[in-house]
Amino acid sequence: MLYTLHEAAYHAATPLRFGALSLKTLWSSPANPWSDTALARNIVAMSDVFESVTRRYGKPEWGLDQVEISGVDVPVSIETVWSSPWCNLIRFRRDGSALKKAGRPADAPKVLIVAPLSGHYATLLRGTVEAWLQDFDVYITDWVNARNVPLMEGRFGFHDYIDHVRTMLEALGERAHVVAVCQPGPPVLAACALMAEDAHPQRPLSMTYMGSPIDARLSPTLTNELAEQKPFAWFRSNMIYTVPLPYAGVGRRVYPGFVQLYSFMSMNEARHREAHWAYFNDLVAGDGDSAARHEAFYDEYLSVLDLTEEFYLQTVDIVFQKHLLAKGELWHRGRRVDLSAITDIALMTVEGENDDISGVGQTQAAHGLCPNIPEAMRVLHVQAEVGHYGVFNGRRFREEIYPLARDFMNRAHGAGESGTDAERPSPRAAA
């Protein structure tokens, strides 16, 4: 019922939204003799703010048509190399001739970035992709909005996620590097363990976990405490709703993206309120640059997707309530996930000092859970003065975190190609 009411509210606001746009056009028109008055600027700004908070935000564009490498603008084309009803594996193909001009080899190591399936689109990692494009052949998981998947396609749960990660690593055709950003940490680690136990030829050379709840019992945040305090039945009763018409997935039970969005915004309600007030004032003052930055952020932040009922509830149960992977009690398709089976996959963990989603300790727990990875193949990094988002985006990510990850992967790649321990990553820890 809530989903239907949400859709009804959106459509009910449509005439008001068009009215606001008409008002903006009237009061900003050069033909209006009062367009340059304080009254007009306030009306135009008010109309802009109203339109932005009532708009339907679709999936953002990647906007990565080119990337600058060593002073050369390298064209980038986006192609889908593998797909299922639930995910598209996207490759960012760099132009070979431009790479040659930049003095870079066309045949770079492959990196699979596993984007979170937690309410936002993979485009949230645009800055993450752009960084790795400097030195690697980049692929990313582009998860599909569950409300657009017809019921006939079946269900998609936590264990299907593990299977997808494994299948996509296989699709790369060689030993690559895998990066899990936030939510994917546990299922990616499970997939790596299963591939390691099988001595799979496409098991990754390295795995990097960034702000991931590998063991959510450590340094619990408000999100973790909510998952612990509420019984499992509460999540099923209060967080799951049915997709209405006209979506292709009508009848599918989902955890709606707008519920996730409202939950996150309520955690920092004052900050969002202040941001919109500042946006209004920037519009009135004619500060286009500040207004554009606000719009760019919220265009991405307010674009959300739905999760299937089974994936959301199984993640709450497995990761945040029972902590099965951290306890060594996770079973997948009749097999116990044995993290001790990982012996030749290099491990890097990255945490943010001020992360309020995955507290410090939750991600680095992977080191203790994977006891048979040699010390020379580990990197543990805690980035000072960044929160959750800063772990994989922003200035400190570009200038401090990514160079560490790049060097870590290059050493792991060299060790994997040589088949010896001589070039394996040296131990490094930062706090």
Side-chain angles (χ1 to χ4, degrees):
M1 178 61 73
L2 179 64
Y3 211 135
T4 302
L5 290 174
H6 178 267
E7 291 296 304
Y10 165 74
H11 291 294
T14 299
L16 298 176
R17 186 166 53 256
F18 282 121
L21 290 173
S22 299
L23 201 62
K24 174 184 175 181
T25 301
L26 173 64
W27 284 94
S28 61
S29 171
N32 187 334
W34 296 284
S35 62
D36 197 33
T37 64
L39 174 63
R41 289 195 295 273
N42 275 269
I43 291 175
V44 170
M46 178 184 65
S47 301
D48 259 333
V49 172
F50 180 83
E51 190 277 332
S52 69
V53 298
T54 59
R55 184 195 316 165
R56 173 64 52 82
Y57 288 82
K59 180 182 177 182
E61 297 293 329
W62 279 102
L64 288 175
D65 299 326
Q66 66 179 29
V67 61
E68 184 178 331
I69 302 177
S70 299
V72 177
D73 289 332
V74 177
V76 175
S77 58
I78 300 176
E79 58 185 35
T80 300
V81 298
W82 178 90
S83 65
S84 79
W86 305 101
C87 186
N88 295 306
L89 178 59
I90 289 179
R91 181 188 184 188
F92 297 85
R93 183 189 292 274
R94 303 177 299 170
D95 181 76
S97 59
L99 283 174
K100 187 175 181 179
K101 291 180 182 178
R104 301 295 183 91
D107 187 21
K110 295 180 178 180
V111 173
L112 171 61
I113 300 176
V114 184
L117 182 53
S118 56
H120 282 97
Y121 289 96
T123 51
L124 189 68
L125 304 188
R126 187 180 294 102
T128 318
V129 170
E130 189 172 16
W132 258 282
L133 276 173
Q134 302 294 315
D135 306 282
F136 296 92
D137 185 6
V138 180
Y139 298 74
I140 194 168
T141 59
D142 192 14
W143 300 103
V144 175
N145 193 335
R147 74 182 181 191
N148 296 328
V149 182
L151 280 173
M152 64 179 294
E153 298 294 350
R155 295 164 68 83
F156 180 85
F158 186 87
H159 296 282
D160 298 300
Y161 195 113
I162 294 174
D163 292 337
H164 269 60
V165 171
R166 179 168 178 151
T167 300
M168 286 185 278
L169 284 168
E170 292 170 347
L172 298 187
E174 63 185 60
R175 295 192 69 182
H177 306 273
V178 63
V179 179
V181 180
C182 189
Q183 167 270 318
V188 169
L189 184 54
C192 291
L194 292 166
M195 296 180 80
E197 188 174 22
D198 294 339
H200 197 292
Q202 272 81 52
R203 66 192 183 279
L205 284 166
S206 76
M207 48 187 181
T208 301
Y209 300 98
M210 313 183 78
S212 295
I214 303 298
D215 189 347
R217 297 172 296 179
L218 306 176
S219 302
T221 63
L222 183 61
T223 304
N224 305 140
E225 291 171 352
L226 172 64
E228 288 279 359
Q229 292 168 3
K230 300 291 186 181
F232 182 77
W234 182 90
F235 289 94
R236 184 188 297 275
S237 299
N238 294 276
M239 295 296 183
I240 304 300
Y241 301 93
T242 303
V243 176
L245 287 169
Y247 299 108
V250 58
R252 183 177 294 282
R253 298 282 285 171
V254 299
Y255 173 56
F258 66 82
V259 173
Q260 172 82 316
L261 179 63
Y262 295 161
S263 298
F264 275 132
M265 293 189 76
S266 66
M267 292 172 60
N268 297 286
E269 182 179 347
R271 184 186 305 172
H272 291 293
R273 191 166 53 245
E274 290 167 4
H276 280 79
W277 177 244
Y279 174 53
F280 174 82
N281 288 324
D282 290 335
L283 291 171
V284 172
D287 186 351
D289 291 340
S290 296
R293 286 195 294 270
H294 173 96
E295 291 167 355
F297 174 80
Y298 278 99
D299 283 354
E300 191 79 52
Y301 188 75
L302 298 176
S303 300
V304 292
L305 54 75
D306 300 346
L307 284 59
T308 65
E309 171 187 35
E310 52 275 15
F311 176 75
Y312 173 73
L313 292 178
Q314 288 170 12
T315 299
V316 169
D317 183 53
I318 292 171
V319 177
F320 295 104
Q321 291 194 339
K322 294 181 179 176
H323 315 287
L324 295 183
L325 182 67
K327 292 179 178 178
E329 299 173 359
L330 177 63
W331 287 73
H332 175 74
R333 313 296 187 199
R335 297 172 58 185
R336 188 178 72 84
V337 177
D338 182 10
L339 298 182
S340 68
I342 304 175
T343 61
D344 65 349
I345 303 175
L347 170 64
M348 179 175 184
T349 59
V350 182
E351 296 177 314
E353 179 186 29
N354 303 322
D355 194 331
D356 59 352
I357 302 296
S358 296
V360 174
Q362 293 187 17
T363 307
Q364 62 184 268
H367 291 281
L369 296 172
C370 301
N372 293 326
I373 298 176
E375 285 300 315
M377 298 175 65
R378 301 174 183 268
V379 172
L380 187 161
H381 181 70
V382 180
Q383 179 63 48
E385 300 180 21
V386 301
H388 187 71
Y389 189 76
V391 167
F392 56 88
N393 235 321
R395 180 180 63 82
R396 290 188 181 274
F397 164 74
R398 293 190 302 271
E399 297 177 1
E400 300 181 43
I401 296 175
Y402 173 70
L404 289 175
R406 176 198 60 209
D407 295 345
F408 160 75
M409 289 181 178
N410 283 334
R411 288 191 297 270
H413 196 80
E417 288 189 334
S418 67
T420 69
D421 292 338
E423 295 180 84
R424 281 178 173 169
S426 58
R428 180 181 307 182

